[in-house]
Amino acid sequence: MSRTDTHSSIPLPTDVAGGPQPTPAEESDVAPVVGRHGSGNETYATLVWRRFRRSPMGMIGLVLVAALLIMSIFADFFAPMDPKQTNLPFAPPDLIAFEDAAGNFSLLPHIYPIGDTGEFDPITFQPLTGPVKDDPTPVGFFVEGYSYNILWVIPSNIHFFGSTDGRPLQLLGTDKFGRDILSRGIIGSRISLMIALAVVTITTIVGTLVGITSGYIGGRLDAWVQRFVEFVLAFPQLPLYLALTSLIPVTAPSNVFLTFVIFVMAVLGWAQLSREVRSKTLSLARIEYVRAAIAVGASDRRIILRHILPNVLSHIIVSITLAIPAVVLLESFLGFLGFAVKPPLISWGLMLQDTGTFSVIGSYPWILTPVIFVLITVFAFNALGDGLRDAVDPY
């Protein structure tokens, strides 16, 4: 084959004897190879996000966490009724049916209040209750309701959904004072998640600083700090929670009591994270690039902030997502015992105080619905934490 018949995508040297120039790559029979694995300069966050998207449970947790945060920030907008408005005590949840008053199927749901049917039980002769289908409650979106302030600044009275004629809308029933459980649960998410986020923020900052400082400096400081950490971890937390929260007088303002509860939870919650961060710092301090930074005279502050902290940050992020549901469960338990939040504030734990007796639960089981908010929150953050842990492990 002569040189004039040569076709190649590889550039040929210039023919000094006057021969033909090589065929351009775009006219070659061989198609250029397109990379399938990215450009090769992806950042750490891009790698983690690409792997995190492959986790179905992690994505479900992310969506639920985002929805919970949005609901807590704009809780008054999503609450259909005033959480302090009282109606019939222990009223059952309204019936949601896809049929009209005549029994015909309807694409739009109808809300029927529960009331007396006019019939009596043939054995106990007690009046029977059921849906009042001749008087459905009209429901719409972006309806007017009680007044509130968006982000505590902008006055408004528009709600995401609610009754269009001002009648009570009780999709989850009412409590012993006749207050709507759904609206109180939505409003209560603000306090419960605020406590969890505040506690986890304080414990993360303190635990990270103590763990990195103890593991990097080492020596006698590390020994004394670890003895103090063991002393904190040795305390039985539940009796200590009850003892410390009982120090606040009953007449103390709600904000003072709430601040003290956050402080107590944070004081007893930082030790475990500090020990985990210390163990990772001990291993990172022996890596070559950290020793090289020490050898060239880098300051301890630069080594900690530029070399050690970024490498333990992934573990800290996962610990945060797994610690938030633990704090939510703790607040719910303490609120059930009456040691977390005091009225007029609303939290999920405080709402569960109505479930203190079996007779009430047996007669009015819908008062247990605040547990659903706690379960969704715990599942969402645990799913998000598991997805993040699997995503950051390879990197």
Side-chain angles (χ1 to χ4, degrees):
M1 181 174 62
S2 64
R3 295 181 61 182
T4 58
D5 297 328
T6 301
H7 295 282
S8 174
S9 61
I10 303 176
L12 298 178
T14 304
D15 192 346
V16 296
Q21 296 295 322
T23 304
E26 58 271 14
E27 298 179 1
S28 172
D29 296 335
V30 181
V33 178
V34 180
R36 296 178 300 170
H37 302 288
S39 59
N41 58 350
E42 293 177 310
T43 62
Y44 172 78
T46 304
L47 294 173
V48 172
W49 171 245
R50 188 175 65 183
R51 184 175 177 87
F52 179 79
R53 287 182 302 176
R54 302 174 184 172
S55 173
M57 295 303 296
M59 292 300 297
I60 293 175
L62 179 62
V63 172
L64 289 178
V65 167
L68 286 171
L69 293 178
I70 294 174
M71 182 186 70
S72 62
I73 294 174
F74 303 99
D76 293 299
F77 170 71
F78 290 103
M81 293 185 60
D82 187 352
K84 299 179 182 179
Q85 178 182 348
T86 58
N87 295 291
L88 182 64
F90 290 124
D94 294 339
L95 177 65
I96 304 176
F98 288 88
E99 60 180 19
D100 54 17
N104 300 321
F105 176 77
S106 173
L107 293 177
L108 298 177
H110 289 70
I111 309 298
Y112 298 106
I114 303 298
D116 293 333
T117 59
E119 301 178 357
F120 295 89
D121 188 278
I123 299 177
T124 63
F125 296 101
Q126 295 292 327
L128 298 177
T129 59
V132 183
K133 291 192 175 182
D134 58 348
D135 189 19
T137 301
V139 179
F141 291 96
F142 303 102
V143 299
E144 295 184 358
Y146 70 95
S147 300
Y148 63 94
N149 293 326
I150 301 176
L151 299 177
W152 301 275
V153 176
I154 306 173
S156 176
N157 63 345
I158 303 300
H159 298 266
F160 179 65
F161 72 100
S163 174
T164 57
D165 60 355
R167 285 191 291 177
L169 181 65
Q170 302 159 352
L171 299 181
L172 295 181
T174 61
D175 59 6
K176 62 181 179 181
F177 296 110
R179 299 170 299 190
D180 182 44
I181 294 179
L182 175 60
S183 300
R184 290 178 61 82
I186 294 175
I187 300 295
S189 65
R190 179 179 295 168
I191 298 296
S192 297
L193 291 180
M194 187 272 291
I195 292 176
L197 293 176
V199 171
V200 171
T201 300
I202 297 174
T203 56
T204 301
I205 294 175
V206 176
T208 302
L209 291 177
V210 173
I212 288 181
T213 303
S214 176
Y216 179 74
I217 296 178
R220 184 172 297 180
L221 176 65
D222 181 42
W224 282 103
V225 169
Q226 293 311 304
R227 300 297 79 76
F228 180 72
V229 170
E230 293 172 358
F231 177 75
V232 175
L233 292 175
F235 270 105
Q237 293 191 1
L238 180 58
L240 193 59
Y241 282 130
L242 303 181
L244 292 177
T245 52
S246 62
L247 296 177
I248 296 295
V250 180
T251 57
S254 300
N255 295 333
V256 175
F257 192 89
L258 186 61
T259 303
F260 185 78
V261 169
I262 294 175
F263 173 76
V264 171
M265 290 184 180
V267 166
L268 299 178
W270 62 270
Q272 183 61 38
L273 179 61
S274 69
R275 173 161 289 188
E276 297 173 1
V277 173
R278 170 186 174 268
S279 63
K280 289 190 170 293
T281 303
L282 289 174
S283 61
L284 291 172
R286 294 175 174 84
I287 296 181
E288 287 76 8
Y289 60 81
V290 176
R291 293 190 174 186
I294 297 175
V296 299
S299 63
D300 294 338
R301 180 175 178 272
R302 178 179 177 84
I303 293 174
I304 291 176
L305 295 179
R306 297 294 299 273
H307 300 292
I308 296 180
L309 182 59
N311 287 278
V312 301
L313 193 59
S314 59
H315 177 79
I316 294 173
I317 294 175
V318 175
S319 298
I320 290 174
T321 58
L322 296 179
I324 290 178
V327 178
V328 171
L329 286 175
L330 179 60
E331 185 276 330
S332 301
F333 178 69
L334 294 178
F336 173 76
L337 298 178
F339 290 98
V341 176
K342 299 291 185 182
L345 298 178
I346 306 172
S347 72
W348 295 333
L350 185 63
M351 295 176 61
L352 291 175
Q353 286 186 357
D354 295 339
T355 63
T357 58
F358 289 104
S359 60
V360 174
I361 297 176
S363 302
Y364 317 108
W366 55 85
I367 64 174
L368 284 173
T369 49
V371 177
I372 299 176
F373 294 100
V374 179
L375 292 178
I376 293 176
T377 302
V378 172
F379 168 77
F381 280 99
N382 279 331
L384 177 61
D386 290 340
L388 285 176
R389 181 182 58 193
D390 296 338
V392 301
D393 273 346
Y395 310 118

